[in-house]
Amino acid sequence: MVKLCGWLASAFLAAMMLLTVADVLLRAAFNRPLRGTYDLVELLLCATFFVALPAVFLRDDHIVVDSIDRYFPRAVPWLRRLAGVIALIMLALMVWQGSIAARDTWSFGDVTSDLSLPKILFWIPLLFGLAGGAVAALAVALRIRSPK
Amino acid sequence: MSITAIGVLGILALLAAIVARVPIGVALALTGFLGYAAADGWSKALKMLGSVPYDLASAYSLSVVPLFLLMGAVASRGIMAQELFDAANAIFSGFRGALANATTGACALFGGICGSSIADAATFSKVAIPEMRRHGYDASFAGGTVASAGTLAILIPPSVLTALYAIVAEQSLPKLYAAAFIPGVILAALYVVTVVVVAHARPDWVPRVAAMPLAQRLHAVRGMWKLALLFFIAVCGIYLGWFSPTEAAAVASFTAIVIAIATRSMGGRGLLDAFMETVYATATVFFIVVGAFIFSRFIVLTQFPTGVVTWVQHHHFSPLFVVLLVMLLYVSLGTFLDEVSTILITVPVTLPLITSIGYDGIWFGIFVTVMCTIGLISPPTGMTVFVIQAQNPDIPVGNIYLGTLPFLAADFVLVALLVAFPGIALWMPRVLGM
């Protein structure tokens, strides 16, 4: 699961890089930049970040201040679980509210300014990533871990 | 409860959550959301929570972050760092402290490319520390040199931290990259001076190493062309107006991949690893950005930044005193918080304060970055020090901190210079007509 998120996100990142390089080369060589690079880079960036987000939770990559570990080592597993529950709640709220906003975008038929891409395309990886993150946070919260 | 009180409580709750081991992105989202609800009701707070992640979907300027991270991930996989260290060593060869100065020079250039101090320190911990110790350098000083020189990465352009500052502070990124160049060079030069001073004060820490023959030196210097080329594309391309920062980052990371594959220093497996490392790191940072956006919506709602500015104006504090207070804030945050979170959390409050006393947003970006280089080596959680210790378990962490002390003095010299002569940062963007 972690690797799958990583591979997908890597593919989006590679596309973002190649698209930008192609745009620069075409502009430099033929003075004909690609139309809509801006829109596509935004979409690919959005996809890269949100698709990789569940992996961050599963890999426990988050930046955490762990100064407390030295003083209350026995509290650490409980604090980890508490943090997982808080993350789950926050992400679930974001998915709930985000899907309301996404539904509005869908029904209004919003599009991007340059290529007229439907804006719902941005919401798909976004909601996938937040929901995946919520599930991953739950998994971390349930996993019983001994302090290092 | 007054709205200012809610703001202050929100900030205290944030600190409490961070200390209680809640991941920083989650802590920001939680306290920002609860604070917003307390100030403006649940329904508006929920709506805000649903809309903020989408702000990231339309943040073109953030695309420089994964692309520059990718360039660093590729560069640190090949043998570019080793070649750069050999080249820098060839340049300084013959002087007392040559290896330590080679480390500083190599970390400065490599730090420009990799943009992350932790990656910079980790790379040179493997390359430079064994070399220094083999030649009889004091282990603490060797560790301290790499831990400190690694911090140059966040200052010397193109830096990922600067890109994040540009977004929260709504400043021009090319201008910030131009502004960071001279302070970055000055800091690297100050580190070189520090090494020379230490070499004279404690010759037993820094033994003299025999000079290399000239032919060998010339050969070694040639090895740095790859990183020099990447640096030229990424930095000069932006300065000369050839590329936007995103374009520079894409072209430079593409070039790094082509070089690494063409010189056979990286295969398909390494390339995939570099991509994976980059996307995980990007998601980790961006999640903090989401949290910081939520928290700053709350902070703006409470008008806390305006409150601070009014309070300072009411008391007629001198600008220098305000700068000292801000410095104190960053030194204390630097003792426990990482540099990305520090910038994302504080800038919405400190920037209005600093501009209200007549400083410039570009200048402040450089100032705050230099303060973060100090935070990176400040006990008890100096991130680059931890990196060195993890890779060299036989050097006690306290000794590495001792080894960084002379360099910490150099950091404060740069801060003093920046405050006394803001032109150090502002001259270059002006000359480049930005």
Side-chain angles (χ1 to χ4, degrees), chain B residues 321-395:
Chain B
F321 181 70
V322 175
V323 170
L324 285 175
L325 279 185
V326 171
M327 269 174 68
L328 191 68
L329 170 76
Y330 283 109
V331 168
S332 30
L333 287 177
T335 59
F336 68 97
L337 207 57
D338 68 284
E339 72 282 7
V340 169
S341 313
T342 302
I343 289 216
L344 291 175
I345 295 172
T346 57
V347 165
V349 178
T350 48
L351 179 64
L353 176 64
I354 285 291
T355 46
S356 80
I357 57 167
Y359 283 96
D360 177 274
I362 297 290
W363 176 86
F364 186 60
I366 308 309
F367 174 84
V368 86
T369 307
V370 177
M371 293 312 299
C372 286
T373 67
I374 294 170
L376 278 166
I377 49 173
S378 301
T381 55
M383 291 312 293
T384 57
V385 172
F386 285 172
V387 169
I388 309 294
Q389 216 268 327
Q391 293 185 350
N392 301 271
D394 61 313
I395 315 178

Side-chain angles (χ1 to χ4, degrees), chain B residues 77 107 180 255 278 294 329 410:
Chain B
R77 275 193 165 66
C107 277
T255 312
T278 305
I294 291 172
L329 170 76

Side-chain angles (χ1 to χ4, degrees), chain A residues 2-7 9-11 13-14 16-18 20-21 23-25 27 37-39 41-43 45-46 48-50 52-53 55-57 59 61-70 76 79-80 82-84 86-87 90-91 93-94 96-98 101 104-105 119-120 122-123 126 130, chain B residues 18-26 29-30 33 43 46-47 49-51 53-64 66-67 70 242-244 246-251 253-254 257 269 272 275-276 278-288 290 294 335-338 340-341 380-381 386:
Chain A
V2 172
K3 286 224 166 129
L4 191 67
C5 290
W7 286 330
S10 297
L13 176 61
M16 189 165 100
M17 176 185 76
L18 293 172
T20 309
V21 170
D23 181 37
V24 169
L25 287 179
R27 190 183 63 201
T37 310
Y38 201 90
D39 280 1
V41 166
E42 279 190 350
L43 180 59
L45 177 71
C46 173
T48 306
F49 163 44
F50 285 104
L53 188 60
V56 174
F57 280 89
R59 285 163 46 98
D61 265 352
H62 286 297
I63 299 182
V64 170
V65 172
D66 57 2
S67 316
I68 200 171
D69 296 18
R70 263 171 299 165
V76 171
L79 289 173
R80 291 174 82 107
L82 178 67
I86 295 174
M90 293 313 298
L91 289 167
L93 288 175
M94 284 187 208
W96 171 39
Q97 290 298 315
D104 290 348
T105 310
K119 284 201 175 167
I120 195 75
F122 289 83
W123 281 101
L126 195 157
L130 292 175
Chain B
I18 288 175
V19 171
R21 256 184 152 281
V22 178
I24 290 167
V26 178
L30 173 74
F33 169 64
S43 69
L46 280 168
K47 215 176 168 85
L49 202 59
S51 69
Y54 189 76
D55 289 354
L56 251 82
S58 49
Y60 178 82
S61 47
L62 275 174
S63 53
V64 298
L67 292 169
L70 177 63
W242 294 350
F243 304 129
S244 74
T246 297
E247 290 167 354
V251 173
S253 52
F254 183 71
I257 293 171
R269 181 81 234 169
L272 184 63
F275 264 98
M276 299 283 254
T278 305
V279 296
Y280 297 146
T282 304
T284 306
V285 170
F286 280 11
F287 189 64
I288 299 179
V290 172
I294 291 172
T335 59
F336 68 97
L337 207 57
D338 68 284
V340 169
S341 313
T381 55
F386 285 172

Side-chain angles (χ1 to χ4, degrees), chain B residues 74-406:
Chain B
V74 171
S76 55
R77 275 193 165 66
I79 48 166
M80 291 183 205
Q82 180 69 53
E83 287 173 339
L84 178 64
F85 180 68
D86 293 342
N89 197 14
I91 292 169
F92 286 104
S93 171
F95 293 100
R96 187 182 281 277
L99 281 170
N101 279 330
T103 306
T104 304
C107 277
L109 184 55
F110 192 78
I113 296 307
C114 85
S116 145
S117 289
I118 292 177
D120 200 13
T123 305
F124 283 93
S125 166
K126 279 176 265 176
V127 173
I129 292 183
E131 193 71 5
M132 283 195 267
R133 294 182 79 178
R134 197 163 62 81
H135 285 98
Y137 272 60
D138 177 76
S140 320
F141 184 66
T145 304
V146 178
S148 308
T151 67
L152 287 167
I154 58 170
L155 181 60
I156 293 182
S159 142
V160 169
L161 191 68
T162 309
L164 291 171
Y165 173 85
I167 286 153
V168 277
E170 296 176 343
Q171 299 288 329
S172 141
L173 183 56
K175 236 174 159 175
L176 281 163
Y177 280 157
F181 189 78
I182 293 176
V185 171
I186 292 179
L187 189 56
L190 285 170
Y191 284 174
V192 169
V193 172
T194 307
V195 170
V196 173
V197 170
V198 171
H200 277 275
R202 301 296 296 264
D204 52 318
W205 284 9
V206 188
R208 190 183 286 277
V209 178
M212 282 186 222
L214 188 65
Q216 198 189 336
R217 286 169 73 169
L218 287 175
H219 182 77
V221 170
R222 285 214 319 252
M224 67 190 284
W225 70 269
K226 295 170 197 162
L227 281 161
L229 175 68
L230 292 181
F231 190 79
F232 180 79
I233 293 173
V235 178
C236 300
I238 297 175
Y239 288 171
L240 298 172
W242 294 350
F243 304 129
S244 74
T246 297
E247 290 167 354
V251 173
S253 52
F254 183 71
T255 312
I257 293 171
V258 170
I259 292 176
I261 290 177
T263 57
R264 294 174 188 278
S265 62
M266 188 179 70
R269 181 81 234 169
L271 181 62
L272 184 63
D273 285 349
F275 264 98
M276 299 283 254
E277 179 191 310
T278 305
V279 296
Y280 297 146
T282 304
T284 306
V285 170
F286 280 11
F287 189 64
I288 299 179
V289 176
V290 172
F293 278 9
I294 291 172
F295 192 75
S296 75
R297 291 283 182 95
F298 157 60
I299 286 295
V300 169
L301 184 72
T302 62
Q303 300 193 320
F304 184 75
T306 333
V308 172
V309 171
T310 322
W311 182 74
V312 165
Q313 281 169 347
H314 180 75
H315 286 81
H316 300 289
F317 292 137
S318 75
L320 186 63
F321 181 70
V322 175
V323 170
L324 285 175
L325 279 185
V326 171
M327 269 174 68
L328 191 68
L329 170 76
Y330 283 109
V331 168
S332 30
L333 287 177
T335 59
F336 68 97
L337 207 57
D338 68 284
E339 72 282 7
V340 169
S341 313
T342 302
I343 289 216
L344 291 175
I345 295 172
T346 57
V347 165
V349 178
T350 48
L351 179 64
L353 176 64
I354 285 291
T355 46
S356 80
I357 57 167
Y359 283 96
D360 177 274
I362 297 290
W363 176 86
F364 186 60
I366 308 309
F367 174 84
V368 86
T369 307
V370 177
M371 293 312 299
C372 286
T373 67
I374 294 170
L376 278 166
I377 49 173
S378 301
T381 55
M383 291 312 293
T384 57
V385 172
F386 285 172
V387 169
I388 309 294
Q389 216 268 327
Q391 293 185 350
N392 301 271
D394 61 313
I395 315 178
V397 91
N399 289 15
I400 306 177
Y401 281 123
L402 275 180
T404 62
L405 278 182

